[in-house]
Amino acid sequence: MLTIALPKGRIAQETLSKFEQAFDEEFIFEDRKLILEKAGFRFLNVRNQDVPTYVMHGAADLGVVGLDVLEEKEYDLIKLLDLQLGYCKVAFGLIKGQELDMTKSKITVATKHEKIAKRYFEEKAMAVDIIKLYGSIELAPLVNLADCIVDIVETGATMKQNGLEVGPTIMESSAHLIANKNSYYAKKDKIFDLKEKLEAVIQWD
């Protein structure tokens, strides 16, 4: 049996839809249940940010998670397949009409994507002060807590509604199928069979 950690919400539903196409079976989590066992798979319904942790520590053989979360966690995991779901980007948010002033001696950035933001500025040999926030991040530039924000952007509507505009993109992201290294070698045949079936579904779509 392969255990697969799925992020709660839309990505889990879209992933299970691909499994339904691949295996001609119905995969649905019953109300409030966190585990679904069917057709040789055990699915775990977990928070998006926790998916790589379950996979890293071997509680799940595989996981489905956004590339942005993987980059932030920096775990030693195997990326198997881009599922072409959950497209978004990690980008700057700036007060409307302003640009990122790269000449400043230090830029203050509010974000929950600390490592991604820090890496971006390190690669440009620029000093940055990272302020970690968990919500209402758009407020930070408006009340002078930070020069800008770094956040996940799908449509940019939330920034726009709060007087910000989308600035430069740091990275593109989509949901990937990932594997625990030990599981990858111990269950290679099953994992490769799954990968091939999902690839066929993606190509068909």
Side-chain angles (χ1 to χ4, degrees):
M1 180 175 281
L2 287 175
T3 300
I4 305 170
L6 297 180
K8 291 181 177 180
R10 182 168 54 90
I11 298 300
Q13 291 169 359
E14 291 179 4
T15 302
L16 289 176
S17 176
K18 291 196 182 296
F19 271 81
E20 288 177 356
Q21 289 174 263
F23 295 95
D24 199 25
E25 296 257 7
E26 191 176 56
F27 294 91
I28 298 174
F29 276 98
E30 291 179 24
D31 189 37
R32 297 187 182 274
K33 287 206 171 177
L34 300 176
I35 296 176
L36 164 65
E37 289 190 7
K38 193 165 186 182
F41 298 104
R42 180 192 291 119
F43 297 97
L44 310 178
N45 205 6
V46 306
R47 283 186 69 235
N48 182 44
Q49 302 288 332
D50 293 336
V51 170
T53 305
Y54 277 80
V55 179
M56 181 66 195
H57 294 282
D61 303 304
L62 305 170
V64 173
V65 70
L67 204 53
D68 57 294
V69 178
L70 280 183
E71 289 288 313
E72 190 65 25
K73 293 289 186 184
E74 295 182 328
Y75 287 155
D76 189 16
L77 299 167
I78 295 171
K79 284 189 290 226
L80 288 173
L81 180 65
D82 182 351
L83 294 171
Q84 297 178 26
L85 302 171
Y87 287 110
C88 60
K89 61 186 178 181
V90 179
F92 286 96
L94 305 159
I95 291 176
K96 194 172 181 181
Q98 293 187 4
E99 291 184 1
L100 203 56
D101 184 1
M102 294 296 199
T103 64
K104 286 185 72 171
S105 58
K106 183 182 281 189
I107 291 176
T108 304
V109 179
T111 186
K112 64 180 178 184
H113 299 86
E114 292 175 280
K115 291 177 182 174
I116 292 173
K118 192 176 178 187
R119 199 178 306 126
Y120 175 88
F121 285 101
E122 282 176 351
E123 287 170 359
K124 295 186 176 298
M126 293 176 63
V128 63
D129 183 17
I130 305 284
I131 298 173
K132 185 152 189 175
L133 292 179
Y134 295 93
S136 304
I137 193 170
E138 294 82 10
L139 274 174
L142 304 176
V143 296
N144 296 317
L145 178 63
D147 297 311
C148 60
I149 66 172
V150 167
D151 203 10
I152 288 289
V153 178
E154 289 185 31
T155 65
T158 305
M159 286 192 191
K160 191 175 181 182
Q161 288 168 0
N162 289 284
L164 304 183
E165 59 187 15
V166 180
T169 296
I170 295 178
M171 67 173 287
E172 305 279 346
S173 180
S174 59
H176 279 62
L177 183 68
I178 59 172
N180 172 280
K181 281 196 165 180
N182 291 333
S183 297
Y184 179 76
Y185 294 110
K187 302 180 180 181
K188 202 162 190 174
D189 290 345
K190 286 183 180 178
I191 289 173
F192 266 80
D193 180 59
L194 172 60
K195 180 173 179 277
E196 285 177 6
K197 283 184 167 66
L198 290 176
E199 277 176 333
V201 169
I202 291 165
Q203 287 169 4
W204 183 259
D205 287 348

